Amino acid sequence: ELKVEQNPLFLSMQEGKNYTIYCNYSTTSDRLYWYRQDPGKSLESLFVLLSNGAVKQEGRLMASLDTKARLSTLHITAAVHDLSATYFCAVMAGGSQGNLIFGKGTKLSVKP
Amino acid sequence: GAGVSQSPSNKVTEKGKDVELRCDPISGHTALYWYRQSLGQGLEFLIYFQGNSAPDKSGLPSDRFSAERTGGSVSTLTIQRTQQEDSAVYLCASSLAVRNTIYFGEGSWLTVV
């Protein structure tokens, strides 16, 4: 059974600092997704990572995937308050085309 | 519309009643997914459609839950004889193809009292 673990679950940062969120998964998968969720809102797609070594960047966020280590990272550069949200990674279960297994989410708070 | 559209956005129902939740995916998206999100269980997969067929319905929690999709477009999730533990946000999502970005709707907030 595929398990997805994120850490940390809670992260309080100061503006301008850098930090990394980690996403480990337990079995082989060919797809990993990162989402952002604001309170009371739905999930906003950030990145889709499809191959080993994939790296994608959007603004202050950069995601990478190491399929051999079963690890994805979401790196935050020079955090700003607007990045405060909950970030989820999700991995497609093997043999499935629709069963995304989500991590518990990382609640990020960026303080001035 | 531009995004995945769900209705109703909020529904309060009495225990034992049936509810129907509707999802209108992004035009042209062949894959459609239902998930639910609750405080205790996090985000859980329910069912996946490719066109009108459901190759993976492994996440439906009981036979009180069913879903259909017609015309390769609109989908309806039906919960019969609702229970309090069914209270959650039901999220619909769609994608152009199975390896593309999966876009989520705003969700239907269901409260069973």
Side-chain angles (χ1 to χ4, degrees), chain A residues 8-76:
Chain A
L9 297 182
F10 298 93
L11 179 54
S12 182
M13 302 176 61
Q14 282 195 310
E15 281 191 329
K17 298 291 188 182
N18 304 333
Y19 211 85
T20 300
I21 299 170
Y22 297 88
C23 175
N24 289 91
Y25 54 101
S26 60
T27 63
T28 302
S29 176
D30 63 355
R31 264 168 285 167
L32 190 139
Y33 301 75
W34 283 98
Y35 287 91
R36 168 185 171 142
Q37 187 174 41
D38 292 290
K41 300 292 186 181
S42 189
L43 297 163
E44 175 190 352
S45 177
L46 296 174
F47 304 107
V48 183
L49 302 170
L50 300 175
S51 60
N52 187 41
V55 178
K56 291 195 175 179
Q57 182 162 7
E58 180 74 33
R60 300 175 188 275
L61 301 178
M62 183 174 71
S64 66
L65 178 62
D66 181 342
T67 58
K68 294 179 182 176
R70 297 177 189 156
L71 170 68
S72 180
T73 60
L74 181 66
H75 187 72
I76 304 157

